[in-house]
Each structure stands twice: as structure tokens, then as C-alpha cells.
């Protein structure tokens, strides 16, 4: 069997690697000039296997008015004359219900734990280098209300098999002294010792390098797919500038590029870009205390992750801002908020980045056989959890493509 995968980000490369482990011939088509050069390039870096609570949450209704009225808000919204935007927002608000969040959390934990186990297996067997850290994760709270909600969420996830600890302020500082600057503003934190971090770009490159000498693997860069070529209901090939590329099965794993591709077939996938930003600061020669543990500053919605000799700082959700430009005001806000916590960091030396997280309203990715055409599959919509869920999503898709049973109940993620 020959499978053509559209997209060479962390989702596409994980799918390709999993299929090659099963002996399937793979061709990966990438519109850009490098592997993982877009959404996967400089994301937050946290592998949040035990913290997969969706963005859609009942608390959104309380926070939304405050966020929309502040220029330095972690969430910014620009209304557009876009049916896609308003469809997505309507479904997002419908997902902000307690019963939906509980069900989604349980389903996502099942997928994330599968993904964790596969990534660990690949590490052990293939010695993949991607600045991986087993350093745990702290979700830090400055206000009592959100901290109490986090306690309740931790209990909910504990009932689902997650192991997390609720820490008071003094315990947090004992574990991570670099947070001393918060002072009396620190309420406490949720600590997950088993959480990890890693560079999704380096991971994707490592997978490619493991396969590049394999005669049944081919990567074609600078090869955007123009359209699908159909034969009856089935997809027979994809059209590129170089001509048609034929295969037995086709997987769309191209992030936000998934939407226009499926739209050609009459589909309207509920995937919308949530724009985010990051700073990557080299740590060599830096004496300023930086966190040894991955940290999420909950109220500011900033994540800090040490990736080898780099500190990655990622933040913000901008809805209605589709370009990859980096607005000066948003980057200035991010730097100011980072300086509030780590005032001596030389952020002028940091590499800046913007990316579009392809998110569904519920937070659950779309993984499985497309209903739009035969021989067509989708692996997209992972939002901010692309790296966390990549290996598990690849396992589900590869199982179905090779006629095996899915390793978990994948019904919640099917198109």
C-alpha cells in the first residue's frame, strides 16, 4: 500500500513514521521549504499529557468580557465577515458546558496517554534527539478563583487516572525558586511531575532523518497540493505543479491548510486558526534564574519550557488574525509580561515567532476516514496540543489504514 500524506508538520511526520513502522510506503508532500516550518516550528514545547482540559470551559463566560476590553489580554478577538468564524464561535460556546468539558477531558486523556506511551517507545528504540526534558510542569495561579477551579479540575482528572499535586505558595517556591518574583501574588500551583517538554520542530526533523534513507519513504518539499483528482467517489491522485501524484490512500494533515483542501470536496471542517506567539531565548552564558520545571502562568496564559539550551516562552490566543505577521504591540505585551516574572532576561536576544494553531471548537482533533470521498483521511485540528497528541493520532490512523483495531476508542475523534 502507498499512502500520500499532505503536510510535513509534527502531525504529518508522526503519521508517516508510524506507517513506515507498519511497512507502508509513504510519500509526504509539504507546501513549504522545510519540515515542520510553520505551526510546529516554535510552539510552546510542553508535552501536556495530563493537562488536556479544553480551551472551551464554563469559566470563559466570566473571563471573556474582561479579556475583550484589555489591550494586553491573553485573548484578542477581531470580528470578521466570515461564516467560518461565527460557526466556529457558536460551536465553541456550546462546548463551554461542564458536562461537555468533563467528557472531552476524559476522551483527550485517553488519546494523550496513548501518545505518551508511543513517544517513549520511539525514544527508546530510535534514540530520537529533540531537546526532550522529563522535568514536570507547574500551572501557577495568581488569583484564588482560578486556583480553586484548578483544584476541582485536578480532582476530576485524578478520577480519570491523572496524577497531579495541589501546591500552596510556599511549596511552589521550594520546588521552583525562580518564581520568587511573584511574591504575595502567588496563590499556588498544580504540579504534574510526569509532564515533559520537547522541541516539535526537532522531533519532526528527527523522524525525517530516521526515514530519509528508506526507499519506501519520500519527502517532497515546496509541493503544494492544488486539487484532488477523483475517480467516481474515490480520490485517485493529487494535482501539484509537478503533475499528478497517485497513491492508494491520502491523508490530509496540513494544519490550517486542511480547510481549503476539504472545501474543494464540499466539506466545511470546523477548524479555525488561533494565532499565538513565542520567544526563544538562548540560555548559554545566562546567569538569570530561569525555571528548571516547565511553567504555565495561568492568568497571563504564558508557558515557559526549557528545551535544551533554549527557553521557549509562548502565549496568547488571537481570533480573527489569520496572517503570520508579528504585531509590534502583541510582542511588546508578551515581553513586558515575561519581564514581570523574569526581569533580567535579555529578551532583545530572543527569536520571535507567530503561528496558527488549527483548533476545533471542542479542542478534540479530527482523526479518521473522511466522509467526503473514498480513500481520504484526516488528521488535523489539534490546536495547542499538536505535539502532545501527534503520536497517538498517528497510531489511530495507521491502525485503520492497515486494517487493525484502533488502540483506543477513537469514535470521539472521527470526522
Amino acid at each position: 500500500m502507498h499512502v500520500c500524506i499532505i503536510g510535513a508538520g509534527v502531525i504529518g511526520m508522526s503519521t508517516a513514521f508510524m506507517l513506515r513502522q507498519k511497512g507502508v510506503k509513504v510519500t509526504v508532500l509539504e507546501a513549504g521549504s522545510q519540515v515542520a516550518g510553520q505551526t510546529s516550528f516554535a510552539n510552546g514545547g510542553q508535552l501536556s499529557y495530563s493537562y488536556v482540559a479544553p480551551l472551551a470551559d464554563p469559566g470563559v463566560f466570566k473571563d471573556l468580557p474582561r479579556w475583550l476590553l484589555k489591550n494586553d489580554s491573553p485573548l484578542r478577538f477581531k470580528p470578521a465577515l466570515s461564516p467560518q468564524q461565527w460557526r466556529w464561535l457558536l460551536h465553541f460556546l456550546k462546548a463551554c458546558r461542564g458536562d461537555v468539558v468533563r467528557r472531552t477531558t476524559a476522551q483527550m486523556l485517553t488519546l494523550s496517554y496513548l501518545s505518551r506511551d508511543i513517544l517513549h517507545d520511539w525514544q527508546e528504540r530510535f534514540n530520537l534527539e529533540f531537546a526532550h526534558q522529563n522535568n514536570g510542569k507547574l500551572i501557577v495561579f495568581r488569583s484564588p478563583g482560578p486556583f480553586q477551579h484548578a483544584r476541582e479540575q485536578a480532582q476530576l482528572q485524578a478520577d480519570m487516572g491523572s496524577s497531579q499535586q495541589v501546591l500552596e505558595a510556599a511549596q511552589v517556591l521550594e520546588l521552583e525558586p525562580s518564581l520568587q518574583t511573584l511574591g504575595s501574588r502567588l496563590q499556588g500551583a498544580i504540579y504534574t511531575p510526569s509532564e515533559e517538554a520537547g522541541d516539535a520542530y526537532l522531533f519532526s526533523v528527527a523522524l525525517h532523518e530516521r526515514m530519509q534513507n528508506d526507499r519506501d519513504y519520500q519527502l517532497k518539499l515546496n509541493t503544494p497540493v492544488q486539487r484532488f483528482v477523483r475517480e467516481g467517489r474515490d480520490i485517485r491522485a493529487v494535482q501539484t505543479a509537478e503533475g499528478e501524484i497517485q497513491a492508494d490512500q491520502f491523508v490530509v494533515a496540513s494544519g490550517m491548510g486542511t480547510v481549503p483542501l476539504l472545501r474543494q470536496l464540499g466539506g466545511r471542517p470546523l477548524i479555525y486558526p488561533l494565532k499565538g506567539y513565542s520567544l526563544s531565548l538562548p540560555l548559554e552564558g545566562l546567569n538569570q534564574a530561569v525555571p528548571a520545571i516547565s511553567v504555565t502562568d495561568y492568568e497571563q496564559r504564558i508557558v515557559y519550557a526549557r528545551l535544551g539550551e533554549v527557553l521557549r516562552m509562548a502565549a496568547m490566543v488571537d481570533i480573527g488574525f489569520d496572517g503570520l505577521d508579528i504585531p509590534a504591540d502583541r510582542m511588546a505585551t508578551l515581553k513586558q509580561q515575561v519581564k514581570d516574572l523574569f526581569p533580567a532576561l535579555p529578551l532583545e536576544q530572543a527569536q520571535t515567532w507567530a503561528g496558527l494553531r488549527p483548533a476545533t471548537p471542542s479542542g478534540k482533533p479530527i482523526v479518521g476516514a473522511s466522509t467526503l470521498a473514498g480513500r481520504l483521511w484526516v488528521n488535523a485540528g489539534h490546536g495547542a496540543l499538536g505535539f502532545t497528541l501527534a503520536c497517538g493520532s498517528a497510531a489511530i490512523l495507521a491502525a485503520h489504514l492497515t486494517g487493525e483495531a484502533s488502540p483506543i476508542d477513537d469514535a470521539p475523534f472521527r470526522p
Side-chain angles (χ1 to χ4, degrees):
M1 179 169 57
H2 177 202
V3 176
C4 176
I5 298 170
I6 304 169
V10 70
I11 302 299
M13 294 309 299
S14 298
T15 304
F17 195 76
M18 179 63 77
L19 285 168
R20 284 303 305 129
Q21 301 313 301
K22 295 179 178 294
V24 177
K25 181 180 179 180
V26 172
T27 297
V28 180
L29 307 180
E30 169 55 42
S33 60
Q34 62 178 325
V35 168
Q38 298 184 41
T39 302
S40 303
F41 183 72
N43 59 26
Q46 292 183 340
L47 289 162
S48 298
Y49 298 119
S50 295
Y51 197 85
V52 292
L55 179 64
D57 183 271
V60 166
F61 291 107
K62 177 174 62 68
D63 291 332
L64 200 57
R66 174 173 56 88
W67 285 343
L68 296 181
L69 292 173
K70 291 179 61 180
N71 291 330
D72 60 351
S73 165
L75 184 149
R76 185 171 61 167
F77 172 60
K78 181 173 73 174
L81 293 175
S82 163
Q84 180 79 351
Q85 183 188 79
W86 293 101
R87 282 180 64 235
W88 190 93
L89 287 170
L90 178 62
H91 283 81
F92 177 82
L93 293 174
K94 287 182 178 178
C96 293
R97 304 199 314 266
D99 60 329
V100 175
V101 171
R102 286 189 292 272
R103 185 167 61 251
T104 297
T105 299
Q107 294 162 346
M108 295 281 276
L109 282 171
T110 302
L111 179 57
S112 71
Y113 291 157
L114 170 67
S115 199
R116 176 196 61 194
D117 294 345
I118 292 169
L119 184 139
H120 289 173
D121 175 62
W122 287 359
Q123 277 186 290
E124 184 177 342
R125 290 199 288 143
F126 303 111
N127 193 30
L128 303 175
E129 295 291 338
F130 56 99
H132 181 253
Q133 306 281 331
N134 284 304
N135 55 354
K137 176 178 175 177
L138 279 166
I139 304 176
V140 176
F141 296 88
R142 302 167 181 240
S143 305
F147 187 33
Q148 178 57 34
H149 180 69
R151 289 175 183 268
E152 296 166 1
Q153 180 70 24
Q155 182 57 57
L156 170 66
Q157 296 193 174
D159 296 339
M160 300 174 183
S162 179
S163 178
Q164 298 176 301
Q165 302 170 20
V166 178
L167 303 183
E168 302 303 328
Q171 295 172 298
V172 175
L173 296 180
E174 183 178 354
L175 189 64
E176 184 48 76
S178 70
L179 298 174
Q180 295 275 0
T181 52
L182 280 173
S184 61
R185 295 175 293 170
L186 177 60
Q187 291 290 319
I190 304 298
Y191 176 49
T192 312
S194 60
E195 298 290 64
E196 306 166 19
D199 190 314
Y201 165 74
L202 293 179
F203 179 75
S204 303
V205 170
L207 295 181
H208 164 66
E209 290 176 346
R210 289 290 308 187
M211 296 185 288
Q212 64 182 346
N213 295 323
D214 187 338
R215 66 181 184 180
D216 286 327
Y217 164 76
Q218 185 179 23
L219 170 68
K220 297 175 74 66
L221 299 173
N222 300 304
T223 309
V225 171
Q226 298 170 344
R227 64 182 180 88
F228 293 106
V229 180
R230 301 183 71 158
E231 189 173 86
R233 187 179 180 277
D234 292 343
I235 304 299
R236 178 179 61 81
V238 290
Q239 181 70 45
T240 73
E242 299 178 9
E244 289 187 4
I245 296 175
Q246 298 185 359
D248 300 308
Q249 305 285 341
F250 298 84
V251 177
V252 182
S254 53
M256 283 311 306
T258 301
V259 175
L261 283 172
L262 297 185
R263 191 176 290 145
Q264 295 180 20
L265 301 173
R268 295 197 304 161
L270 274 170
I271 300 175
Y272 198 76
L274 304 183
K275 188 173 183 178
Y277 308 90
S278 77
L279 298 163
S280 298
L281 179 67
L283 295 177
E284 185 177 359
L286 187 64
N287 295 321
Q288 162 71 7
V290 295
I293 298 171
S294 288
V295 170
T296 296
D297 186 341
Y298 181 81
E299 273 89 343
Q300 303 286 20
R301 298 299 200 277
I302 302 176
V303 303
Y304 299 84
R306 291 190 68 149
L307 307 176
E309 291 304 311
V310 171
L311 179 64
R312 176 71 48 77
M313 297 152 278
M316 300 176 179
V317 173
D318 282 0
I319 300 175
F321 299 80
D322 298 349
L324 293 177
D325 61 304
I326 304 177
D329 63 331
R330 287 306 256 173
M331 193 51 63
T333 294
L334 176 55
K335 289 182 177 181
Q336 178 183 347
Q337 291 172 342
V338 170
K339 285 279 191 179
D340 174 65
L341 194 54
F342 301 107
L345 288 181
L347 297 181
E348 67 280 358
Q349 300 175 20
Q351 178 185 15
T352 60
W353 174 86
L356 303 178
R357 310 179 189 102
T360 64
S362 68
K364 293 184 291 188
I366 302 170
V367 184
S370 173
T371 59
L372 303 172
R375 297 165 51 178
L376 181 67
W377 303 76
V378 180
N379 195 359
H382 296 73
L385 293 172
F387 193 12
T388 297
L389 303 177
C391 297
S393 300
I396 291 172
L397 209 60
H400 286 298
L401 279 164
T402 56
E404 301 174 2
S406 175
I408 62 171
D409 176 11
D410 62 295
F413 311 106
R414 293 175 193 164

